[in-house]
Amino acid sequence: MKLYDCTSAPSPRRVRIFLAEKGLVIPTVQVNLRAGYQLSSAFRDINPDCTVPVLELDNGIRIADTIAICSFLEEHQQQPQLFGNSPEERAVVTEWERRSERNGFHAVTEAFRNSAPGLKGRALTGPVDYDQIPALAERGRARVLRFFQSMDARLSQHEFVAGPRFTIADITVFVTIDFAGRIKLAVSEELVHLRRWYDCVVARPSSKA
Amino acid sequence: MKLYDCTSAPSPRRVRIFLAEKGLVIPTVQVNLRAGYQLSSAFRDINPDCTVPVLELDNGIRIADTIAICSFLEEHQQQPQLFGNSPEERAVVTEWERRSERNGFHAVTEAFRNSAPGLKGRALTGPVDYDQIPALAERGRARVLRFFQSMDARLSQHEFVAGPRFTIADITVFVTIDFAGRIKLAVSEELVHLRRWYDCVVARPSSKA
């Protein structure tokens, strides 16, 4: 296996943390997003979506989606189980992972890509150029603050995002919070439950990935 | 089990088609989205996200996410397998399902919710009101047309979205195309592969769900 990666980008970081939690080491190929290498014809042959991460299997199959990669790796090496241990737990983990991606990760992405000077004309990833929409950047920021509040409420009642154990939902929320630093948003001091949880997750060795 | 549903809404329709393909029948509770019942305090107790579908299990656990519900049902009744038959196939199905949701389903949602007169101030689902952004509606329409083109290219080489068999990825694309009718976009006649595939999917009994 081989992972197309970019150390500065949040999506492949979700996979890197997942790999670290599993204790898996996979060779990586760095794709320089700042230099626009994802839009080169060489990389389009690898992934027409022009995004990382991409996992290339030994049989040549390429998987170009963060969650598709992680669920494949979960089957490849089951322990520790990061998608849940039973049908009910897997449902709850999937629900919280998707809610966190939708309301958190995507909101930061919206705010970041619609405001960063270096991303003018590149408001969405992918092969097509779309103009930035300033109102969308503003809405994204409001949504991120709201997401932090809702996660604080959730974590006032549960040790981890999806319940009593660390799962892929925690990875998504953790990467989202760090990614929010790019739009200069941080978890405020009064969100004590979210901060308690963050301190616990950042202390895990996988957080360095 | 019990499904909180709304017959006129696209997200619960994905679950209804999934159930029909499995041959499963589950009692439903209709939530009148047009009357705003999803925002009532009674429904907020069921799902604070104020969305359908929600699957309520016999032990009281509620799953409030389309894909979390479908993957739970896949474990509940494995045949016919709609998420793939092997780790590699499951990875490809997940990749295409998520790509179709991101580039297709979400694009229609963006265009629809940011332009429909009845959704002023309700540009996003959920408990918080957000103003419509006209530029986002316009961008959504452009993205939907691009999505149709990309699916036509995909289906020129594969019988179904994720490969040789009908999967949950086909359900997402099928519901997306019907949903696009609400923003008056249809698959144009020159997209012969996408139209061939649509005719095949609409002929399945599950399409009536």
Side-chain angles (χ1 to χ4, degrees):
Chain A
M1 285 194 284
K2 180 160 82 171
L3 180 70
Y4 292 89
D5 183 23
C6 174
T7 52
S8 62
S11 290
R13 190 179 179 212
R14 292 161 75 185
V15 174
R16 292 198 307 272
I17 295 176
F18 192 90
L19 287 165
E21 288 284 337
K22 292 276 186 189
L24 289 169
V25 177
I26 293 179
T28 63
V29 179
Q30 292 301 315
V31 179
N32 190 333
L33 300 184
R34 283 191 192 166
Y37 184 70
Q38 74 278 18
L39 300 169
S40 67
S41 63
F43 192 76
R44 279 174 206 242
D45 289 344
I46 293 163
N47 178 16
D49 283 350
C50 306
T51 54
V52 286
V54 179
L55 184 68
E56 187 172 294
L57 308 186
D58 294 339
N59 60 11
I61 290 180
R62 293 188 183 114
I63 314 170
D65 176 83
T66 301
I67 294 298
I69 291 171
C70 291
S71 46
F72 177 82
L73 293 169
E74 179 92 343
E75 294 202 69
H76 178 73
Q77 182 180 305
Q78 295 195 2
Q79 298 302 329
Q81 289 189 303
L82 297 172
F83 279 86
N85 283 335
S86 68
E88 286 79 7
E89 199 182 311
R90 277 189 282 279
V92 172
V93 170
T94 298
E95 177 189 22
W96 278 97
E97 198 290 320
R98 283 172 52 89
R99 178 177 290 126
S100 303
E101 184 179 82
R102 188 168 58 238
N103 298 336
F105 193 83
H106 286 171
V108 178
T109 305
E110 242 172 43
F112 176 62
R113 296 195 71 99
N114 285 282
S115 64
L119 290 170
K120 271 201 201 315
R122 294 289 307 151
L124 290 171
T125 60
V128 182
D129 289 340
Y130 291 101
D131 285 339
Q132 292 177 332
I133 301 175
L136 190 54
E138 199 183 322
R139 190 184 81 180
R141 294 178 69 85
R143 288 177 68 207
V144 172
L145 294 176
R146 168 90 196 170
F147 174 70
F148 287 170
Q149 286 169 355
S150 69
M151 291 314 302
D152 187 67
R154 172 72 180 170
L155 291 162
S156 71
Q157 306 199 317
H158 299 271
E159 189 172 351
F160 291 100
V161 171
R165 285 181 303 115
F166 182 92
T167 69
I168 187 158
D170 297 283
I171 297 176
T172 299
V173 177
F174 178 71
V175 172
T176 296
I177 290 175
D178 280 3
F179 186 22
R182 301 256 194 111
I183 52 166
K184 307 246 188 307
L185 289 182
V187 176
S188 63
E189 285 190 14
E190 63 264 31
L191 301 182
V192 293
H193 308 292
L194 184 53
R195 288 176 77 104
R196 179 269 305 160
W197 168 90
Y198 184 89
D199 290 344
C200 158
V201 174
V202 82
R204 299 171 80 92
S206 66
S207 74
K208 309 295 175 294
Chain B
M1 286 194 284
K2 180 161 84 171
L3 180 70
Y4 291 89
D5 182 24
C6 174
T7 51
S8 62
S11 290
R13 189 180 179 211
R14 291 160 76 186
V15 175
R16 293 197 307 271
I17 294 176
F18 193 89
L19 286 166
E21 288 285 337
K22 292 276 185 189
L24 288 169
V25 177
I26 293 180
T28 63
V29 179
Q30 292 300 315
V31 179
N32 189 333
L33 300 184
R34 286 196 188 162
Y37 184 71
Q38 75 278 20
L39 300 169
S40 67
S41 62
F43 192 75
R44 280 174 203 240
D45 288 345
I46 293 163
N47 178 17
D49 284 351
C50 308
T51 54
V52 286
V54 179
L55 183 68
E56 187 172 294
L57 308 186
D58 295 338
N59 61 11
I61 290 180
R62 294 188 182 116
I63 314 170
D65 176 84
T66 301
I67 293 299
I69 291 170
C70 291
S71 46
F72 177 83
L73 293 169
E74 179 90 345
E75 294 203 69
H76 177 74
Q77 182 180 304
Q78 294 194 3
Q79 298 302 328
Q81 288 189 304
L82 298 172
F83 278 86
N85 282 335
S86 68
E88 286 78 8
E89 198 182 312
R90 278 189 282 278
V92 172
V93 170
T94 298
E95 176 189 21
W96 278 97
E97 198 289 320
R98 282 173 52 90
R99 177 177 290 124
S100 304
E101 184 179 81
R102 189 168 56 238
N103 298 337
F105 193 83
H106 287 172
V108 177
T109 305
E110 242 171 42
F112 176 61
R113 296 195 71 98
N114 284 282
S115 64
L119 290 170
K120 271 201 202 316
R122 296 287 309 151
L124 290 171
T125 59
V128 181
D129 288 342
Y130 291 101
D131 284 341
Q132 292 178 332
I133 301 175
L136 190 55
E138 201 183 320
R139 190 184 81 180
R141 293 178 70 85
R143 289 177 67 206
V144 172
L145 294 175
R146 167 89 195 172
F147 174 70
F148 287 170
Q149 286 168 355
S150 68
M151 291 313 303
D152 187 68
R154 172 72 182 172
L155 291 162
S156 72
Q157 305 199 320
H158 298 270
E159 189 174 350
F160 291 100
V161 172
R165 285 182 301 116
F166 181 91
T167 69
I168 187 156
D170 297 283
I171 296 176
T172 299
V173 176
F174 177 70
V175 172
T176 295
I177 291 175
D178 280 2
F179 186 22
R182 301 257 195 111
I183 53 167
K184 307 243 186 316
L185 290 181
V187 177
S188 63
E189 284 189 17
E190 63 263 32
L191 301 182
V192 293
H193 308 291
L194 184 53
R195 289 174 76 103
R196 178 268 305 158
W197 168 90
Y198 184 89
D199 290 345
C200 158
V201 174
V202 82
R204 299 171 81 92
S206 67
S207 74
K208 309 295 176 294

